[in-house]
Amino acid sequence: MNFHICHPGDALRPFVKQFYFWEDDSCGLIQLPQHLFTLGDQYMVFILEGEATIKPADHAAFTLPKHSVTGHFTCACELQVRGPLKMVVVQLNAYGCYRLLDMDVRSFTNYYRNLDMQESPVWTLLGTKLQQAKTPQEITSLLNDTYMEVLRCFSPALQQVDKMADYLLANQGNVSLHELAKVFRVSKPTLDRLFNRIVGIPPQLFARMVRFKAALRSLQQMDIPQWQISTTAHYNQAMFIQDHLLFNGEMPSGHNTAAQATITRMTAAEMLPVAVAS
């Protein structure tokens, strides 16, 4: 198995977090690399070989087309891939999809959109070029060039929602809707409407995701069981259990292995510019 993690160009960083290139010659079901998908972000997926199926807890499973963008996953999900596999995954931040594709993000929460059905042929062309690329360096160059061109051609207004999302992240989700509306001088209905249209989910839910990920990171750093989370002014054990049931589909436990991981359980972590496992 070859799994590469590469940084996008500096100009893309406000919207694009990482590029992933995953290649595996194994036949049948393949275990996911840890951190491939994480709660609160959106992803563009280019399947060059193989098959990927997602099963959200709230509705039937669906198989991703060759070129797709996934919406936010707000419930426990399972991702299964079948090899031989070759795929490129682009991790976007909460508002990156809207900025790069100018799509109604709300319409595919817990689902996907087929990029080959979009009016612009840019993503289909990118998928064809990625199919011909041989190395992670070639793939990174293709992705950087394509996304930079898209940024130059499309410019939907983010209307401060990017700053709102970044504010929630900086405060680890410990921000009330009232505080957020006051800081950015908008009414609560306007805040909710803008956030839903550009991010795809309500600000309260996004803050809840951010808070949950921050709690998991703290537990991982302290190396203690999930059920021993300490009570804080913003997050207590009952809230953590409730969120764990929603985002992971089960009660928290003392041990979680990569084999048991779902999409939402794979929390963001510090990564090297390029990591290869073989």
Side-chain angles (χ1 to χ4, degrees):
M1 180 185 80
N2 287 320
F3 183 59
H4 301 258
I5 306 169
C6 305
H7 283 309
D10 290 341
L12 296 176
R13 290 183 189 276
F15 314 105
V16 181
K17 289 187 172 181
Q18 303 280 358
F19 298 144
Y20 304 95
F21 173 52
W22 181 17
E23 190 173 24
D24 199 313
D25 293 332
S26 305
C27 295
L29 293 178
I30 301 173
Q31 183 176 318
L32 291 172
Q34 200 172 11
H35 305 307
L36 181 57
F37 287 87
T38 182
L39 185 68
D41 290 326
Q42 294 184 301
Y43 294 83
M44 296 181 74
V45 182
F46 299 90
I47 301 174
L48 312 178
E49 184 180 2
E51 183 180 283
T53 301
I54 297 177
K55 173 61 179 77
D58 293 346
H59 58 80
F62 54 85
T63 299
L64 291 175
K66 286 186 176 182
H67 312 135
S68 63
V69 56
T70 65
H72 284 288
F73 291 100
T74 62
C75 62
C77 299
E78 292 180 359
L79 173 62
Q80 289 189 334
V81 292
R82 187 174 295 275
L85 185 77
K86 185 178 180 182
M87 64 190 296
V88 174
V89 178
V90 179
Q91 182 182 15
L92 308 174
N93 67 11
Y95 45 85
C97 179
Y98 179 85
R99 176 63 179 80
L100 291 163
L101 287 92
D102 194 16
M103 299 173 68
D104 181 359
V105 190
R106 292 168 296 182
S107 65
F108 56 101
T109 299
N110 293 317
Y111 202 53
Y112 72 92
R113 280 290 175 266
N114 188 340
L115 293 174
D116 292 333
M117 302 298 290
Q118 300 303 305
E119 183 177 345
S120 172
V122 62
W123 307 116
T124 301
L125 292 173
L126 174 59
T128 301
K129 292 177 181 178
L130 289 172
Q131 189 78 53
Q132 299 167 355
K134 303 298 183 183
T135 67
Q137 291 76 19
E138 287 182 73
I139 289 170
T140 300
S141 179
L142 278 171
L143 293 171
N144 277 326
D145 291 346
T146 300
Y147 282 98
M148 283 302 301
E149 183 62 28
V150 169
L151 282 177
R152 284 191 288 267
C153 295
F154 300 102
S155 56
L158 291 169
Q159 298 179 333
Q160 278 197 317
V161 174
D162 52 335
K163 294 181 176 63
M164 296 174 189
D166 291 343
Y167 184 82
L168 289 171
L169 287 167
N171 288 277
Q172 297 188 332
N174 297 316
V175 180
S176 68
L177 187 61
H178 174 77
E179 178 186 343
L180 197 61
K182 184 177 180 181
V183 168
F184 290 94
R185 298 182 179 181
V186 295
S187 67
K188 291 181 183 179
T190 298
L191 170 62
D192 198 64
R193 175 177 54 81
L194 290 175
F195 215 91
N196 268 289
R197 182 161 62 88
I198 292 173
V199 175
I201 55 177
Q204 303 97 317
L205 179 57
F206 182 73
R208 188 175 173 183
M209 289 178 173
V210 172
R211 193 163 55 241
F212 179 67
K213 288 168 63 177
L216 283 187
R217 280 195 297 271
S218 297
L219 290 173
Q220 290 167 353
Q221 291 167 1
M222 291 185 289
D223 194 26
I224 62 175
Q226 291 182 351
W227 53 267
Q228 288 186 1
I229 185 170
S230 59
T231 301
T232 69
H234 301 283
Y235 215 51
N236 57 44
Q237 192 174 49
M239 292 169 64
F240 179 79
I241 291 172
Q242 186 180 33
D243 284 355
H244 205 286
L245 283 169
L246 174 65
F247 298 134
N248 283 347
E250 61 183 30
M251 291 288 288
S253 63
H255 303 283
N256 281 314
T257 63
Q260 296 171 321
T262 63
I263 286 176
T264 55
R265 186 176 293 130
M266 296 183 183
T267 56
E270 294 298 321
M271 297 180 181
L272 297 175
V274 179
V276 184
S278 59

